[in-house]
């Protein structure tokens, strides 16, 4: 068979797999003999499907082909024979002996006789060689491991164990290209040709004068439905033939690592991956999503699903051209701080980027606030619980109660930091803002020095990775301190660790002082890599900020230093940077920034390289006074650089942005706040950390209330002068006329619980269709529900109403719109959906892939973007239905262009998952919000970040670590509603100036959700106690409170999780409840609206409310 014909078979295999023709896939694999599907083989062996096992093998080898094949068949038939004996089915055992095992007598007669004698034993385990035979399941597992080794070593299987790398639906893509070409040849091409058959060449009909569209962007072949209602082509994931495909990067390193136990196995990354049995360890390896369906949806009856021609979810990053200059580098010395002893390690806070963590050779760990030059916290070395320490450590400390610090590092969200000491110990501190450091964990991690420490997130659980003089790497639970993994294999002290992840695979690089590099999965199986660092140097490894490029830098015993970039796919050095000097002592330190620059402390200066140029870019001596190998550290934005000095100090270098940042923050910290800092109010955590120590009071009447500090991107601690709202305690003022409307009985409003005969699960998301004719809910079990109001005599316009019961609508097929949940528990996922402007499509996700559903048929048009990371928020561009903003669990935002099938850019600015997205077509901005309580503004022209601001967490209110922050634009597209469990706030975009803030009474419990009414005059707010508040949007004054008794039967555990406002009736809203119910609420027809607005006083704003509203605090 020709090479092209062979490749065509692979394309057909991919097509059959994508279309779920499973039996046909494996039949073609067997008949062609081109690809041995190890995963399928494993499943059959595990299930004991012996006839199918041998039938499948027969497509690739026969019993007497070679000694490997003979051993494979012998092991299978022996296992089948032993299982028959174990079941005491002697007749079957004899049959197997005669028909299956006798063939081996010609090659080893003694072995055959010994097998035959097993028939005479009551229990074949009495045979000494079989005495350790366990149960059937374990025996099959042991045999399977042996079979895999034999198959990999068998030359007949060489080049048949790895499926070629193909983009998704490659056969479909080729057909699309052919159709486009045929369409180009049409004499009278139509702009939107209707392709109805592949059996004959395409030709357009009557002329219409239209030009043929570009074959690049117009995919003519849409979904081709199968008979019997199969989903369209491309609706399934990529072909996954390999038993355990490690990420390309790690697999590449493996390909160059130590020898494989079975050298006859096929060469390449998969050979070693399988030999290391990664397949059994990585639960559901996923072929990288190099190609997924794209879609172009304009009308409800258009089901054309464009096929992608480029990788999905990957930005086109060109490393060849730099948009940066040397002016972007922080080279200007702006300040010096003096820790008092030699600096060994530094790290900037990942969020409050003007906070610098410092560790010294005397064991002191400190936190500096750079604008004020102040050391705001310090801890000296001390064993917290000496009695619990090992005898060796106690003896060491009894002799010399000092320890140097080898590493200090913040956790990714800045809530914790770790300290690695030169004597056995690791300390983990929790940081709560200001000077509030608390002891969290003390771990006696290693015997001798703890050389390095890093944080990682395997299985979405924060861990601490340490390494030490004892040649061991260990992984600890960052919450409990329990040891989870221990990796042994280095033959010298382990110098550094670098945890990272590619796709869903988490791994750790480690380096030792003998120049060896190893890589480990979190599985206790052993090193996946054994490689030499350049020059056998003690080296440190680091990824670029976006995780796409890997670098290392180190110095060997001869004093030669090496700074290199690695080619991960090959496990080889890609480029070596020039300009490092020779040293007599120490190891060169380095850091990366902006995905663009490298820096080292070398030869009494700081040297800089462009990542794409091996020659030195520039250097600075920081006005002198640096040691031969200074410690260096960039802040996250790369605008500040800390450098250690000869006289036990630290110089802070900055670029123009860094200088502006420091001056801005310093000017905000005015004298009054310094005077008041003695009486610091410890505000609760904002996102994951507290504010700085600034408290400002403003007197109103006879009482002063504190303005809660607002922590900005760079510890942007805001004072009264910066935030317009002043705090008004409503209980102080007494209204003479107005009274809050309270609704606490069903007779006081119109409410309707929508009918539901499906499984009741809590409602995670809720929305009215744009027409106002229906309500769509997404439950926590990933199922969508759609209620439609039918047009009749009573509802001539067919509008949603609480007066008429709607229909829980399903298409005639009876199918449900159910999101992909992959391997996730939908109860733990963060569901999200977005509705197209014409109500034809809904895009939705529940922790798995994003699904596109047709709202008319409920059919899944396509799925794309498999996690991780999972999508957590979706929003359509207001002016282009083909631009989608996708908020992710990893805190990034992807801007995806459907029409050209491309992730245009990836926005990074948050520290926790994205929980809200809102476009303004007036300002041409996108506002994002996250579980870090931060708002960011992005310009939609170039997608640059214009502003960012943290919510002001009210004093005395504690926010959950992952509390959602939602955003919604006012009708004017300028004012922005921000919703957090502690408050409702109004900001003015794009500068994010806080105009008003409303804090509910604590008795109501946390806010669960809120939304503008369709006219933006009211805000509907739901609470955990089951009540709903109606605020006047212009003043943020509560004018109506609906108590749960008005719409719920007595049940204290049920409350609304989400509120949705009707798109055309400003007084109607719907609630999605924890018990799965959906309620529509409207005021009585006689009332017409929810309460009355409180009066204003002298045009200066609202007066206070009375009665029950007295404890709700608005800020204006």
């Amino acid at each position: 068979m020709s090479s092209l014909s062979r490749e065509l078979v692979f394309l057909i295999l991919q097509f059959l797999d994508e279309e779920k023709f499973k039996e046909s896939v494996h039949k073609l694999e067997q008949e062609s003999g081109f690809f041995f599907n190890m995963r399928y083989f494993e499943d059959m062996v595990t299930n004991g499907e012996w006839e199918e096992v041998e039938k499948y093998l027969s497509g690739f080898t026969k019993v007497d082909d070679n000694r490997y094949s003979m051993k494979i068949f012998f092991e299978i038939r022996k296992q089948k024979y032993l299982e028959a004996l174990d079941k005491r089915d002697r007749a079957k055992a004899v049959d197997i002996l005669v028909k299956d095992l006798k063939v081996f007598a010609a090659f080893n007669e003694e072995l055959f006789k010994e097998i035959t004698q097993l028939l005479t034993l009551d229990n074949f385990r009495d045979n000494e060689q079989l005495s350790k035979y366990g149960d059937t399941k374990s025996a099959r597992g042991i045999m399977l491991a042996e079979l895999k080794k034999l198959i990999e070593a068998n030359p007949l299987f060489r080049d048949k164990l790895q499926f070629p790398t193909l983009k998704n639906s490659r056969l479909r893509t080729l057909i699309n290209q052919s159709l486009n070409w045929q369409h180009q040849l049409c004499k009278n091409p139509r702009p939107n040709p209707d392709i109805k058959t592949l059996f004959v060449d395409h030709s357009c009909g009557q002329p219409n004068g239209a030009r043929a569209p570009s074959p690049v962007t117009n995919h003519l072949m849409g979904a081709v439905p199968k008979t019997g209602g199969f989903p369209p082509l491309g609706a399934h994931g990529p072909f996954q033939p390999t038993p355990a495909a490690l990420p390309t990067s790690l697999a590449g390193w493996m390909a160059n690592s130590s020898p494989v136990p079975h050298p006859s196995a096929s060469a390449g990354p998969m050979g070693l991956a399988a030999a290391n049995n990664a397949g059994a360890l990585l639960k559901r390896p996923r072929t990288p999503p190099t190609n997924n369906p794209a879609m172009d949806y304009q009308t409800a009856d258009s089901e054309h699903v464009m096929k992608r021609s480029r990788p999905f979810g990957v930005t086109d990053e060109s490393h060849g051209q730099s948009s940066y200059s040397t002016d972007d580098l922080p080279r200007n010395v702006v300040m010096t701080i003096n820790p008092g002893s030699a600096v060994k390690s530094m790290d900037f806070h990942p969020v409050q980027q003007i906070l610098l963590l410092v560790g010294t050779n005397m064991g002191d760990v400190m936190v500096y606030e750079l604008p004020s030059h102040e050391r705001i916290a310090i801890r000296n070395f001390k064993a917290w619980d000496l009695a619990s320490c090992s005898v060796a450590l106690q003896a060491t400390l009894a002799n010399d109660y000092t320890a140097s610090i080898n590493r200090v590092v913040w956790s990714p969200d800045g809530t914790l930091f770790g300290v690695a000491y030169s004597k056995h110990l690791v300390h983990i501190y929790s940081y709560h803002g200001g000077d509030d450091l608390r002891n969290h964990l003390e771990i006696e991690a290693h015997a001798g020095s703890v050389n390095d420490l890093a944080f990682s997130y395997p299985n979405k659980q924060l861990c601490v990775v340490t390494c030490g003089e004892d040649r061991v790497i260990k992984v600890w639970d960052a919450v409990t301190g329990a040891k989870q993994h221990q990796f042994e294999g280095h033959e010298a002290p382990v110098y550094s660790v670098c945890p990272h992840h590619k796709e869903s695979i988490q791994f750790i690089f480690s380096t030792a002082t003998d120049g060896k590099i190893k890589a480990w999965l979190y599985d206790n199986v052993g090193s996946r890599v054994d490689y030499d660092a350049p020059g056998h140097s003690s080296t440190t490894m680091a990824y670029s900020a976006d995780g796409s490029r890997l670098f290392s830098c180190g110095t060997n015993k001869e004093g030669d230093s090496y700074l290199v970039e690695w080619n991960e796919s090959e496990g080889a050095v890609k480029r070596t940077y020039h300009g490092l000097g020779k040293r007599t002592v120490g190891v060169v330190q380095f850091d990366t920034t902006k995905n663009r620059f490298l820096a080292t402390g070398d030869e009494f200066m700081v040297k800089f390289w462009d990542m794409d140029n091996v020659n030195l870019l520039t250097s600075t001596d920081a006005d002198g006074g640096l040691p031969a190998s200074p410690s260096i550290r960039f802040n996250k934005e790369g605008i500040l650089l800390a450098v250690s000095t000869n006289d036990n100090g630290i110089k802070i270098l900055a670029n123009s942005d860094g200088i502006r940042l420091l001056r801005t923050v310093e000017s905000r910290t005015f004298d009054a706040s310094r005077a008041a800092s003695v009486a610091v109010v410890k505000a609760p955590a904002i996102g994951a950390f507290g504010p700085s120590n600034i408290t400002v009071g403003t007197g109103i009447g006879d009482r002063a209330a504190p303005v809660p500090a607002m922590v900005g991107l760079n510890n942007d601690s805001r004072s009264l002068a910066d935030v317009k709202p002043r705090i008004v305690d409503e209980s102080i003022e007494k209204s003479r006329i107005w009274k809050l409307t309270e609704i606490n009985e069903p007779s006081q409003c119109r409410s309707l619980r929508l009918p539901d005969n499906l499984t009741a699960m809590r409602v995670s998301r809720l929305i009215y269709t744009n027409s106002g004719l229906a309500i769509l809910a997404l439950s926590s079990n990933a199922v969508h529900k759609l209620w439609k109001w039918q047009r009749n005599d009573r509802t001539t316009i067919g509008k949603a109403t609480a007066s008429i019961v709607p229909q829980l609508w399903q298409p005639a097929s009876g199918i449900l719109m159910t999101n992909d949940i992959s391997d996730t528990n939908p109860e733990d996922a963060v569901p999200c959906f977005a509705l197209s402007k014409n109500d034809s499509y809904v895009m939705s996700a529940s922790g798995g892939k994003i699904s596109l559903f047709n709202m008319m048929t409920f059919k899944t048009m396509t799925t794309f973007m498999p996690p991780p990371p999972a999508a957590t928020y979706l929003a359509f561009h207001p002016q282009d239905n083909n631009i989608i903003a996708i908020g992710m669990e990893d805190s990034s935002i992807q801007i995806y262009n459907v029409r050209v099938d491309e992730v245009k850019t990836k926005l990074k600015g948050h520290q926790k998952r994205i929980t809200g997205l809102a476009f303004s077509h007036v300002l041409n901005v996108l506002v994002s919000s996250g579980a870090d309580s931060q708002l960011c503004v992005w310009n939609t022209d170039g997608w640059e970040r214009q502003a960012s601001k943290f919510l002001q967490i009210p004093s005395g209110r504690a926010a959950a670590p992952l509390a959602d922050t939602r955003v919604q634009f006012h009708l004017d597209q300028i004012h922005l509603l921000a919703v957090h469990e502690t408050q409702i706030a109004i900001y003015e975009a794009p500068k994010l100036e806080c105009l008003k803030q409303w804090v509910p009474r604590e008795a109501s419990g946390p806010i669960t959700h809120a939304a503008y009414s369709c006219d933006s005059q009211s805000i509907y707010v739901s609470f955990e106690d089951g009540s709903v508040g109606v605020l006047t949007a212009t003043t943020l004054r509560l004018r109506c409170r609906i108590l749960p008794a008005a719409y719920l039967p007595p049940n204290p555990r049920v409350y609304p999780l989400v509120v949705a406002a009707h798109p055309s009736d400003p007084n109607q809203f719907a609630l999605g409840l924890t018990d799965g119910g959906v309620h529509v609420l409207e005021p009585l027809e006689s009332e017409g609206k929810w309460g009355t607005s409180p009066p204003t006083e002298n045009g200066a704003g609202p007066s206070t409310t009375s009665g029950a509203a007295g404890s709700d605090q608005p800020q204006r």
Side-chain angles (χ1 to χ4, degrees):
M1 183 178 284
S2 70
S3 174
L4 288 180
S5 297
R6 187 173 186 272
E7 291 183 359
L8 179 59
V9 172
F10 281 110
L11 295 179
I12 295 171
L13 283 171
Q14 182 196 42
F15 172 81
L16 292 174
D17 184 77
E18 289 175 338
E19 292 304 294
K20 306 299 182 186
F21 291 114
K22 293 300 183 185
E23 292 184 11
S24 301
V25 169
H26 303 312
K27 185 68 175 175
L28 182 55
E29 290 168 353
Q30 177 216 328
E31 289 188 346
S32 68
F34 291 160
F35 172 66
F36 185 84
N37 192 326
M38 186 69 84
R39 183 184 297 173
Y40 175 58
F41 179 75
E42 288 175 13
D43 290 342
M44 289 190 294
V45 171
T46 302
N47 296 328
E49 299 167 0
W50 306 120
E51 289 186 15
E52 291 300 318
V53 167
E54 289 208 17
K55 187 177 180 180
Y56 189 71
L57 278 170
S58 69
F60 302 88
T61 184
K62 301 293 184 290
V63 173
D64 56 354
D65 277 343
N66 58 40
R67 61 190 180 92
Y68 296 103
S69 299
M70 184 176 296
K71 179 69 169 171
I72 290 168
F73 280 95
F74 175 75
E75 290 296 329
I76 291 170
R77 294 176 183 182
K78 182 184 74 173
Q79 180 64 27
K80 183 166 60 168
Y81 176 68
L82 293 177
E83 288 184 18
L85 288 176
D86 208 25
K87 295 177 182 176
R88 303 192 182 280
D89 190 347
R90 293 185 178 276
K92 184 176 181 180
V94 170
D95 187 63
I96 294 170
L97 186 69
V98 174
K99 292 182 178 179
D100 295 330
L101 290 170
K102 192 171 183 179
V103 66
F104 300 103
F107 304 97
N108 192 332
E109 188 172 353
E110 289 299 316
L111 178 61
F112 180 73
K113 287 180 180 178
E114 189 173 352
I115 290 175
T116 304
Q117 288 172 0
L118 296 179
L119 286 167
T120 65
L121 302 176
D122 289 333
N123 186 340
F124 64 80
R125 294 175 181 80
D126 295 338
N127 181 293
E128 184 179 351
Q129 296 183 42
L130 297 172
S131 60
K132 294 183 179 180
Y133 185 100
D135 58 12
T136 298
K137 182 178 180 181
S138 62
R140 288 177 182 175
I142 294 169
M143 179 192 67
L144 181 57
E146 181 66 17
L147 290 179
K148 289 171 66 177
K149 293 178 182 178
L150 291 168
I151 290 170
E152 290 159 5
N154 194 331
L156 293 176
F157 289 81
R158 189 167 298 158
D159 301 326
K160 296 181 180 180
L161 296 178
Q162 187 165 352
F163 199 82
T165 301
L166 301 174
K167 294 182 177 181
N168 285 4
S169 304
R170 177 61 183 161
L171 186 60
R172 169 86 68 98
T173 300
L174 293 174
I175 294 172
N176 271 329
Q177 292 171 353
S178 171
L179 291 172
N180 273 299
W181 178 246
Q182 293 172 30
H183 187 55
Q184 291 293 302
L185 298 179
C186 289
K187 294 181 179 179
N188 301 296
R190 294 180 178 177
N192 293 296
D194 187 12
I195 306 297
K196 293 183 177 179
T197 180
L198 299 177
F199 295 158
V200 296
D201 286 351
H202 162 70
S203 178
C204 289
Q206 296 297 320
N208 58 9
R211 294 181 60 193
S214 165
V216 176
T217 59
N218 187 41
H219 292 252
L220 300 172
M221 180 185 173
V224 182
K226 293 182 287 184
T227 57
F230 282 89
L233 298 180
H236 309 297
F239 194 26
Q240 301 172 358
T242 60
L246 290 175
T248 306
S249 55
L250 197 53
W253 284 75
M254 290 178 176
N256 297 285
S257 61
S258 55
V260 184
H262 303 281
S264 300
S266 59
M270 272 311 302
L272 181 58
N276 279 324
N277 201 17
L281 302 159
L282 306 177
K283 184 178 179 184
R284 288 191 58 178
R286 189 180 286 113
T287 301
T290 57
N291 192 13
N292 278 357
M295 48 291 193
D296 182 0
Y297 37 91
Q298 301 296 329
T299 61
D301 57 0
S302 169
E303 290 197 14
H304 293 295
V305 180
M306 298 193 305
K307 308 312 299 173
R308 69 181 59 253
S309 57
R310 65 173 63 213
F312 186 92
V314 181
T315 54
D316 288 332
E317 295 185 22
S318 170
H319 298 299
Q321 298 295 326
S322 173
S323 60
Y324 301 102
S325 72
T326 55
D327 292 336
D328 293 308
L329 292 168
R331 293 186 296 163
N332 303 302
V333 178
V334 293
M335 69 177 67
T336 301
I337 53 180
N338 296 289
S341 49
V343 174
K344 297 295 297 273
S345 180
M346 301 175 288
D347 196 25
F348 280 93
H349 195 284
V351 183
Q352 301 183 74
Q353 294 187 60
I354 53 153
L355 296 184
L356 180 66
L357 179 65
V358 179
T360 74
N361 67 336
M362 299 303 294
D364 300 327
V365 58
M366 318 169 196
V367 179
Y368 280 88
E369 184 186 67
L370 297 184
S372 64
H373 299 224
E374 284 191 10
R375 185 181 68 197
I376 59 176
I378 181 171
R379 295 292 185 272
N380 307 117
F381 172 72
K382 179 184 179 182
W384 299 345
D385 187 3
L386 186 60
S388 298
C389 294
S390 66
V391 174
L393 178 55
Q394 291 187 44
T396 300
L397 294 179
N399 185 46
D400 179 16
Y401 204 97
T402 61
S404 175
I405 289 176
N406 289 325
R407 171 73 77 177
V408 292
V409 63
W410 291 101
S411 65
D413 61 1
T415 59
L416 303 172
F417 66 78
V419 186
Y421 292 100
S422 61
K423 293 180 180 177
H424 297 243
L425 291 178
V426 165
H427 281 168
I428 308 295
Y429 289 90
S430 61
Y431 181 59
H432 301 265
D435 61 351
D436 192 356
L437 290 185
R438 303 176 192 174
N439 297 357
H440 177 59
L441 289 174
E442 179 174 73
I443 303 171
E444 187 170 349
H446 296 273
S449 174
V450 184
N451 291 334
D452 199 9
L453 174 150
F455 288 92
S456 68
Y457 270 108
N459 303 316
K460 300 182 181 180
Q461 178 183 12
L462 184 64
C463 291
V464 179
V465 183
T466 63
C467 65
E469 191 178 4
D470 57 4
R471 308 180 182 185
V472 176
I473 300 104
K474 298 181 182 180
V475 181
W476 314 85
D477 187 306
V479 176
T480 65
K483 186 172 72 174
Q484 296 184 326
H485 300 283
Q486 178 166 315
F487 304 129
E488 300 180 9
H490 277 292
E491 297 176 357
V494 186
Y495 180 73
S496 71
V497 288
C498 176
H500 196 59
H501 66 90
K502 290 285 183 180
E503 301 141 34
S504 61
I505 309 301
Q506 303 269 349
F507 55 91
I508 302 166
F509 279 120
S510 63
T511 69
T513 56
D514 61 359
K516 290 293 184 183
I517 298 173
K518 294 181 182 290
W520 319 80
L521 301 181
Y522 293 81
D523 55 14
N524 295 330
V525 168
S527 170
R528 299 307 208 278
V529 164
D530 187 2
Y531 212 70
D532 291 326
H536 295 275
S537 56
S538 294
T539 194
T540 302
M541 307 186 80
Y543 278 88
S544 57
D546 61 4
S548 65
R549 305 174 73 175
L550 176 62
F551 303 90
S552 71
C553 182
T555 304
N556 63 14
K557 295 175 182 177
E558 290 74 37
D560 298 316
S561 295
Y562 301 86
L563 176 62
V564 303
E565 180 179 5
W566 292 89
N567 184 327
E568 288 187 88
S569 62
E570 298 177 5
V573 172
K574 181 177 181 179
R575 56 168 60 89
T576 301
Y577 298 91
H578 307 312
L580 286 173
K582 195 175 180 79
R583 69 199 62 252
T584 56
V585 66
V587 177
V588 65
Q589 305 293 306
F590 93 117
D591 202 1
T592 70
T593 186
K594 285 190 173 179
N595 302 315
R596 196 66 205 173
F597 297 115
L598 300 168
T600 66
D602 183 46
E603 296 184 306
F604 307 96
M605 66 181 73
V606 180
K607 297 178 179 179
F608 300 94
W609 286 262
D610 184 299
M611 288 180 178
D612 296 320
N613 192 325
V614 297
N615 297 313
L616 187 66
L617 176 65
T618 187
S619 63
T620 178
D621 65 357
D623 299 340
L626 302 187
S629 301
S631 296
I632 63 171
R633 192 68 172 170
F634 286 104
N635 76 340
K636 188 174 182 179
E637 297 294 323
I639 59 178
L640 299 175
L641 176 65
V643 186
S644 64
T645 67
N646 254 333
D647 57 357
N648 299 339
I650 299 171
K651 290 188 176 182
I652 304 299
L653 282 61
N655 62 11
S656 57
D657 290 334
I659 294 171
R660 191 178 305 115
L661 164 68
L662 295 172
R663 287 177 178 171
T664 301
V665 177
E666 190 173 19
S667 67
R668 288 173 178 166
T669 315
F670 53 85
D671 294 339
S673 67
R674 289 288 166 202
S677 65
V678 179
V680 175
V681 174
K682 297 295 183 195
I686 296 182
F689 52 88
S692 62
N693 53 345
I694 299 174
T695 303
V696 182
T698 172
I700 298 179
D702 56 355
R703 176 178 174 180
V707 173
M710 172 191 284
V711 179
L713 180 64
N714 299 291
N715 195 29
D716 182 8
S717 303
R718 306 301 302 276
S719 67
L720 179 66
D722 303 298
V723 182
K724 284 188 177 180
R726 61 186 178 91
I727 299 180
V728 180
D729 190 329
E730 293 185 349
S731 62
I732 302 299
E733 302 175 2
K734 302 297 180 182
S735 171
R736 300 177 179 85
I737 305 171
W738 179 82
K739 185 177 181 180
L740 174 76
T741 300
E742 282 209 339
I743 296 175
N744 53 24
E745 294 182 8
S747 61
Q748 294 177 297
C749 67
R750 290 180 290 165
S751 70
L752 172 68
R753 184 180 177 105
L754 305 188
D756 188 357
N757 55 10
L758 300 177
T759 303
M761 301 290 286
R762 81 170 179 271
V763 180
S764 301
R765 296 291 177 263
L766 191 70
I767 192 173
Y768 281 87
T769 58
N770 294 293
S771 65
L773 300 173
I775 289 177
L776 178 67
L778 173 57
S779 299
S780 60
N781 62 352
V783 174
H784 299 76
K785 299 175 183 178
L786 180 68
W787 288 271
K788 289 186 177 182
W789 275 261
Q790 304 298 325
R791 299 176 186 269
N792 56 36
D793 293 339
R794 294 181 61 189
T795 57
T796 54
I797 60 171
K799 180 179 76 70
T801 174
S803 304
I804 295 176
V805 178
Q807 174 192 3
L808 179 60
W809 193 84
Q810 282 182 270
S813 63
I815 63 173
L816 298 174
M817 287 192 290
T818 306
N819 279 334
D820 168 71
I821 57 173
S822 297
D823 295 331
T824 61
N825 179 357
E827 289 285 327
D828 299 331
V830 180
C832 54
F833 64 18
L835 195 60
S836 63
K837 287 180 287 189
N838 56 12
D839 294 338
S840 298
Y841 295 89
V842 62
M843 191 169 290
S844 184
S846 294
K849 298 176 186 177
I850 301 173
S851 300
L852 178 71
F853 296 100
N854 184 310
M855 286 278 283
M856 303 277 183
T857 63
F858 282 15
K859 288 183 179 178
T860 305
M861 303 302 299
T862 189
T863 59
F864 57 98
M865 280 199 180
T872 55
Y873 207 89
L874 300 165
F876 286 100
H877 193 288
Q879 295 157 315
D880 187 345
N881 224 27
N882 289 292
I883 300 291
I884 308 158
I886 306 172
M888 310 300 279
E889 191 176 37
D890 68 353
S891 78
S892 67
I893 303 162
Q894 297 196 17
I895 306 300
Y896 173 56
N897 188 317
V898 174
R899 185 175 294 279
V900 300
D901 182 23
E902 179 180 335
V903 174
K904 295 183 64 176
T905 189
K906 194 172 184 179
L907 310 180
K908 295 182 178 180
H910 289 274
Q911 284 73 48
K912 296 183 181 180
R913 69 185 181 214
I914 304 302
T915 58
L917 295 168
F919 282 98
S920 169
H921 59 79
V922 171
L923 299 175
N924 291 325
V925 298
L926 168 68
V927 175
S928 60
S929 59
D932 54 2
S933 303
Q934 184 183 192
L935 308 178
C936 291
V937 178
W938 312 87
N939 185 295
T940 57
D941 294 327
W943 298 108
E944 303 93 358
R945 185 168 62 180
Q946 291 187 330
S948 64
K949 199 69 69 76
F950 280 85
L951 297 183
Q952 305 172 81
I953 302 300
S955 178
R957 297 289 179 96
L962 289 174
D964 287 356
T965 303
R966 299 303 175 98
V967 285
Q968 181 187 359
F969 268 107
H970 187 281
L971 275 180
D972 64 14
Q973 295 286 291
I974 296 174
H975 292 94
L976 181 79
L977 170 66
V979 182
H980 186 264
E981 64 175 31
T982 64
Q983 64 187 278
I984 299 293
I986 304 295
Y987 289 83
E988 186 176 283
K991 294 183 178 181
L992 292 181
E993 192 174 12
C994 185
L995 303 179
K996 298 180 181 67
Q997 184 190 48
W998 181 81
V999 180
R1001 59 178 189 174
E1002 292 196 48
S1004 301
I1007 295 171
T1008 59
H1009 200 245
Y1012 270 126
S1013 62
C1014 63
D1015 60 4
S1016 295
Q1017 297 303 303
S1018 302
I1019 300 172
Y1020 297 113
V1021 188
S1022 57
F1023 297 92
E1024 204 169 277
D1025 69 349
S1027 66
V1028 180
V1030 184
L1031 305 182
T1032 299
T1034 53
T1035 59
L1036 283 195
R1037 294 295 300 276
L1038 184 68
R1039 71 169 189 263
C1040 180
R1041 178 179 286 122
I1042 304 166
L1043 299 178
Y1047 69 97
L1048 287 175
N1051 187 342
R1053 302 183 63 83
V1054 176
Y1055 58 89
L1057 286 171
V1058 60
V1059 57
H1062 192 281
S1064 58
D1065 184 346
N1067 291 298
Q1068 184 186 136
F1069 63 91
L1071 301 172
L1073 307 180
T1074 53
D1075 68 352
V1078 174
H1079 285 249
V1080 174
L1081 278 79
E1082 293 180 283
L1084 295 174
E1085 289 183 340
S1086 59
E1087 298 290 337
K1089 58 183 179 179
W1090 299 104
T1092 58
S1093 298
T1096 59
E1097 295 181 354
N1098 300 324
S1103 65
T1104 11
T1105 58
S1106 63
S1111 57
D1112 292 311
Q1113 301 176 18
Q1115 291 185 5
R1116 52 188 169 98

